[in-house]
Amino acid sequence: MSTTSKYPPGQDSAGDINTKIVVAGPPFNPNPNEPLPVRMEIHDLLKDAELKNLYILGMEEMQTMDWKDRLSWYQLAGIHGGPYEAWDRETDKSGERRGRYCTHSSKLFISWHRAYLAVFEQALHKCIQNVLVSKKYPVSVERMKVLKPLADNFRMPYWDWAKYPFIPAEFKQKTIKVIRGNGVEEELPLNPLFSYKHPDRPEPQHPKDGHPDGWGTLERFEPMSAQTSRADGNLQNVLAIGNTRDSKHYGANLKQVTHIGETFASFSTNRWTPNGVSSDYDSLEAIHDWLHGAVGGDMGSVAHAAFDPIFMLHHTNVDRLGALWQALHPKLAKSWETFEGDSSTFWTEGTKESPTTPLIPFRRAKEEYWNTIDTRDFTRFGYTYPELTGWKSNQTEQEAKSLRNSVATKVRKLYGPAQISLAKSAPQPTEKFLQKIVETSPEVAELSVSGIPVEAIASLVSPIVTAPQPIIIPQPLLELAETPTHSEYFTNLRAPKHAFGGSFVVHVFLGAITTDSASRASDPNLVGSWAVFATDVKSTGGCANCNDQAAESTAVTGSVPLTGALLERGWYGNDQLTEGYLKDNLNWSFHNGPNLAEELALDRLEGMLKVFVTKAQVTKPTDETGLPVYTDWNPVPEITEQKTTGTGPSDTEGYST
């Protein structure tokens, strides 16, 4: 790690240290007729040897800059959490230069992080340019012709963890090979995609949130399969996310959130707004929190997360999902400009968060900050995404509709239809399930009375799933598979964010829970998890935002989809039977502490954790550009009322007799 600056006194890579940094993203051609550079999915970027090499060299350059440089890895990562120092001398509402800027559980979540990504991308782009003009490793004229256009158009990659539920191999290697500008191959002893070496500085002390021995060199946990023993009790050491059922759950949640969202505010934040409905418990921020918890280690700590090289990949994908939602819901564009926060902002005492709240510390001009309205058009920062190359700053209504249809088609292709299709998705129903249908459905019972045994019904239902050609099946069963509407079930969860000493997770199961609490994340009955990314305000001092939320006992929410798991188990298609099964088999466990390895008994959480099941009627789209329509959200308190921390009719939000 470099400890001295290569710039003259009073200067750093951004110029005069007394002049505020303007966040603009990398340089780009503002001509609306010229295509914008595209942020690539990381797996696609890594397939291109030249781009991969530039990316690694740029990351190395950024991580080895003088730590005091405002555009160094250390300084930019520190904006998000520790070491809680002012970046570019910006202050909070107390007037103190102490950093702590992040906006979690806030309606500013998407817009603040969008500006944050822009300055990080601005710095990384500059580092890649520096690599090309390095005197130590001079690039030949011929090589420069190849590399310069790639460097000019380079944008930060994103990790689409719903499509690729595993971390790329290059991010799990302690060392990595690069080709220097002079053509010489070299193996880097510290892979900048895997680790980051913190500067050796005596003051101030880094917050030890999760780091009893100090910070030192950050290295991500080694990947483990979901079946590997977790004798160390580390529930978060699940980098082989693709081996867990939990990744399926968040594929479902991604589809749910990009297709649900009545306003920008409800889509953006996990902060609970007590409004008497059960349809808005999920959010983009809730999904964001889950990935932090799933990767674990430093990514699971608000104070440390941004120092992990995978942090920006994750947040670039979160920004992409926000942009996809914008394109899918053009009629809701104005909701970016009309929301009102639920509490006073931590920047200006006595006011509420709003679309014009300054996104400190990010300036769009020397005397002006970015705000949410400004960031709605992400192309102002000089980038786009593969699905959004048709985005225009000032779209006509017809252009917005055309883009929406294009994006809907691409999302369906990427992640599958955003609704359950019994005919295509369901496994063969179990005999027990079919027997219950025979007992409770007059139409199917009629078939049984006519001499068709349960086994025969099973043989008739099975081809619905497997046969390549249509077959003749009993009409009641055909209607069950092909109805234009169906019910979908969700476990809704709510808890005070800062009541548990930092981040926490609730695992949701259908069936018995393993007795080994350290193996809950790989339990075969696990159907999903709700993770909350939170600061331990007592040990770190917290940011002003966190302290305000802790004082107000701010609650956050999340949702775990159940329908896919019900299909897997053959308990879907008859609401009465499904709800009876959920009443008998739905369970959950709560974990917090270092690496979320400590389990708290649910009876200690009464009055804090709230869990209930809600269902919605989903109308399937009629063509590939359509979106499913979720209506008639109705909680089913009978499922959870007899369970510890489960809610009943009197305290289930959205339920009325």
Side-chain angles (χ1 to χ4, degrees):
M1 168 67 65
S2 174
T3 57
T4 58
S5 174
K6 60 183 179 181
Y7 298 96
Q11 300 277 319
D12 65 8
S13 66
D16 187 337
I17 61 173
N18 294 309
T19 300
K20 298 290 187 180
I21 291 176
V22 173
V23 177
F28 67 99
N29 188 338
N31 185 339
N33 296 318
E34 291 294 323
L36 283 171
V38 176
R39 288 179 173 177
M40 299 174 64
E41 207 285 323
I42 183 60
H43 293 82
D44 293 330
L45 184 146
L46 293 173
K47 292 174 185 176
D48 187 309
E50 298 286 20
L51 285 175
K52 172 183 173 180
N53 196 61
L54 283 175
Y55 179 41
I56 297 170
L57 292 174
M59 292 281 282
E60 180 199 31
E61 171 85 4
M62 194 171 174
Q63 289 187 13
T64 55
M65 291 170 68
D66 175 22
W67 67 265
K68 295 184 291 295
D69 193 301
R70 291 169 294 169
L71 293 181
S72 67
W73 187 277
Y74 182 80
Q75 287 286 327
L76 291 179
I79 291 173
H80 189 267
Y84 302 133
E85 297 175 310
W87 180 76
D88 204 15
R89 306 180 318 284
E90 298 287 0
T91 65
D92 64 8
K93 67 184 180 185
S94 69
E96 297 180 17
R97 292 180 180 176
R98 59 173 189 152
R100 307 167 190 259
Y101 304 107
C102 69
T103 55
H104 296 110
S105 300
S106 158
K107 292 180 175 66
L108 308 180
F109 170 75
I110 292 177
S111 53
W112 186 91
H113 283 86
R114 182 166 283 178
Y116 185 26
L117 289 169
V119 70
F120 195 93
E121 188 168 53
Q122 183 174 323
L124 178 59
H125 186 273
K126 188 168 186 176
C127 285
I128 290 174
Q129 299 293 324
N130 290 342
V131 167
L132 295 188
V133 296
S134 167
K135 293 181 179 179
K136 185 175 181 181
Y137 305 106
V139 179
S140 69
V141 174
E142 291 304 311
R143 288 289 294 148
M144 186 67 78
K145 291 178 182 178
V146 174
L147 297 179
K148 189 65 166 72
L150 296 177
D152 289 347
N153 288 299
F154 189 93
R155 294 297 184 267
M156 285 196 308
Y158 63 90
W159 172 28
D160 184 355
W161 28 256
K163 183 179 180 182
Y164 300 102
F166 48 84
I167 291 176
E170 288 82 353
F171 285 77
K172 296 185 286 188
Q173 302 168 194
K174 292 190 175 184
T175 65
I176 198 165
K177 291 181 179 179
V178 295
I179 305 294
R180 293 293 186 187
N182 57 3
V184 175
E185 183 179 81
E186 179 181 334
E187 184 165 14
L188 302 181
L190 286 178
N191 175 6
L193 306 184
F194 174 77
S195 60
Y196 171 67
K197 183 173 174 29
H198 285 276
D200 182 16
R201 51 178 303 212
E203 295 293 341
Q205 291 296 316
H206 294 94
K208 292 187 176 182
D209 181 19
H211 281 255
D213 300 320
W215 285 31
T217 300
L218 176 154
E219 289 188 348
R220 199 174 311 109
F221 288 150
E222 296 287 353
M224 299 171 66
S225 81
Q227 286 71 42
T228 302
S229 170
R230 286 178 171 79
D232 61 354
N234 176 21
L235 283 175
Q236 295 310 292
N237 200 355
V238 193
L239 292 194
I241 299 171
N243 292 334
T244 73
R245 292 175 178 269
D246 216 19
S247 63
K248 295 182 183 179
H249 150 51
Y250 265 89
N253 254 23
L254 186 153
K255 289 182 287 185
Q256 178 194 347
V257 172
T258 53
H259 290 79
I260 300 176
E262 298 173 359
T263 64
F264 162 75
S266 63
F267 169 73
S268 174
T269 182
N270 65 359
R271 185 178 184 132
W272 178 49
T273 300
N275 54 14
V277 300
S278 62
S279 59
D280 61 356
Y281 268 53
D282 219 343
S283 63
L284 182 58
E285 184 172 13
I287 289 182
H288 149 273
D289 281 13
W290 169 82
L291 198 282
H292 275 283
V295 173
D298 290 280
M299 273 286 283
S301 161
V302 178
H304 302 253
F307 290 93
D308 188 326
I310 212 158
F311 174 93
M312 288 298 169
L313 291 184
H314 168 44
H315 268 277
T316 305
N317 191 48
V318 171
D319 180 73
R320 167 179 162 269
L321 295 177
L324 289 176
W325 184 90
Q326 290 178 251
L328 288 169
H329 301 279
K331 293 182 179 179
L332 299 180
K334 284 294 180 184
S335 66
W336 278 67
E337 303 174 4
T338 56
F339 68 83
E340 184 177 273
D342 299 308
S343 65
S344 61
T345 176
F346 54 99
W347 296 117
T348 307
E349 196 76 60
T351 64
K352 290 183 178 294
E353 290 178 344
S354 77
T356 58
T357 297
L359 302 178
I360 294 176
F362 309 119
R363 294 175 180 262
R364 58 176 296 186
K366 292 288 192 295
E367 305 297 329
E368 185 179 2
Y369 295 101
W370 287 98
N371 62 39
T372 298
I373 294 175
D374 297 331
T375 63
R376 183 166 69 87
D377 180 9
F378 55 87
T379 64
R380 299 180 70 174
F381 292 114
Y383 69 88
T384 189
Y385 292 104
E387 305 88 351
L388 295 166
T389 53
W391 179 282
K392 293 183 179 180
S393 296
N394 297 301
Q395 300 180 108
T396 65
E397 184 176 340
Q398 185 56 44
E399 287 172 333
K401 182 178 180 181
S402 177
L403 177 65
R404 177 222 161 277
N405 291 343
S406 170
V407 170
T409 301
K410 291 173 182 176
V411 168
R412 286 168 63 87
K413 185 176 180 180
L414 276 171
Y415 308 119
Q419 74 288 323
I420 299 301
S421 172
L422 280 171
K424 296 179 181 177
S425 302
Q428 180 173 331
T430 63
E431 181 176 337
K432 183 178 179 182
F433 177 64
L434 290 166
Q435 182 65 55
K436 283 186 175 288
I437 288 183
V438 169
E439 293 170 356
T440 58
S441 169
E443 296 86 357
V444 179
E446 230 176 74
L447 296 173
S448 184
V449 170
S450 301
I452 303 179
V454 169
E455 292 79 10
I457 297 175
S459 69
L460 290 170
V461 175
S462 182
I464 300 176
V465 183
T466 59
Q469 299 296 327
I471 62 170
I472 299 174
I473 59 174
Q475 187 62 29
L477 298 180
L478 180 62
E479 290 175 356
L480 180 66
E482 297 294 347
T483 53
T485 63
H486 61 272
S487 299
E488 291 198 18
Y489 290 85
F490 306 89
T491 302
N492 279 0
L493 306 101
R494 183 175 81 244
K497 180 174 182 177
H498 295 287
F500 309 108
S503 298
F504 60 90
V505 65
V506 179
H507 295 304
V508 178
F509 308 85
L510 287 180
I513 306 176
T514 177
T515 56
D516 179 10
S517 64
S519 299
R520 295 287 164 76
S522 58
D523 191 307
N525 289 330
L526 177 72
V527 297
S529 304
W530 173 51
V532 174
F533 188 49
T535 298
D536 180 359
V537 294
K538 291 183 179 179
S539 69
T540 67
C543 66
N545 184 34
C546 297
N547 291 334
D548 286 350
Q549 290 178 0
E552 297 166 3
S553 298
T554 296
V556 290
T557 63
S559 187
V560 175
L562 297 171
T563 312
L566 290 167
L567 277 166
E568 287 179 347
R569 290 158 174 77
W571 282 96
Y572 181 82
N574 178 301
D575 286 6
Q576 180 182 351
L577 298 177
T578 297
E579 290 162 21
Y581 174 81
L582 288 172
K583 183 177 181 179
D584 293 340
N585 291 277
L586 182 67
N587 294 293
W588 54 88
S589 63
F590 180 99
H591 304 261
N592 68 341
N595 297 319
L596 307 184
E598 299 174 5
E599 182 172 6
L600 285 183
L602 294 179
D603 57 12
R604 295 176 58 188
L605 302 172
E606 289 278 24
M608 293 187 286
L609 178 63
K610 303 283 186 180
V611 182
F612 67 94
V613 172
T614 190
K615 68 177 178 179
Q617 291 301 305
V618 184
T619 302
K620 302 173 186 176
T622 56
D623 59 54
E624 66 178 11
T625 66
L627 300 178
V629 178
Y630 291 75
T631 57
D632 298 329
W633 288 83
N634 287 296
V636 191
E638 294 80 11
I639 293 173
T640 54
E641 62 180 330
Q642 299 299 320
K643 300 177 185 289
T644 306
T645 68
T647 65
S650 63
D651 57 353
T652 294
E653 188 171 31
Y655 178 80
S656 59
T657 55

